[in-house]
Amino acid sequence: MDSTFFMCKPDAVERGLVGEIISRIERKGLVLVRAELRQIDEATAKAHYSEHDGKSFFDDLVSFIIRSKVFVTEVAGPKDTWAVVRTLIGETNPAKAAPGTIRGDFAVDIAENLVHGSDSAQAAARELALFFPEQ
Ligand code: IDP
Ligand code: MG
């Protein structure tokens, strides 16, 4: 099995959309390996989003991701799971995300876009190690 990191952001938890979102992951044929509702600390948030450090939205992004609990998961599938999940998620900007995708169906704001999924196999390994260091 091939794993990726997938997270429901604070807006998804606050809006009660975790069940709907995880249902889509499961119906696709992917499986949850680990999952936890968790408050992230600022250091972890900054490490997770370090590629965006210096961008105009970085501080707001960190504040957003730590404002309330997130649902962090390891999701597994047969192959290229990160790419399968990214297809389910849709484009970063929900205004451009296709209907049928998570962002296309449930979000309108480019910052509060409900979910995170690793964008490569390397990112998946890095993010799983960051959020689930015990393995
Ligand atoms: P991704 O989540 O689709 O991989 P990234 O470009 O990696 O998108 O951006 C990380 C997160 O930063 C986005 O999911 C969104 O929450 C936020 N973000 C990205 N671009 C913008 C922007 O232009 N304005 C405000 N927030 C943004
Ligand atoms: Mg990204």
Side-chain angles (χ1 to χ4, degrees), residues 42 45-46 49 52-67 111:
E42 187 173 336
K46 285 182 170 170
Y49 281 123
H52 299 299
D53 195 354
K55 293 182 184 170
S56 59
F57 59 84
F58 182 71
D59 290 350
D60 287 343
L61 177 58
V62 171
S63 299
F64 164 49
I65 220 72
I66 67 172
R67 83 169 178 219

Side-chain angles (χ1 to χ4, degrees), residues 99-110:
T101 65
I102 294 166
R103 288 169 174 165
D105 286 349
F106 301 117
V108 288
D109 190 286
I110 192 168

Side-chain angles (χ1 to χ4, degrees), residues 49 51-52 86 116-117 119:
Y49 281 123
E51 67 173 296
H52 299 299
R86 292 286 293 196
H116 168 86
D119 67 1

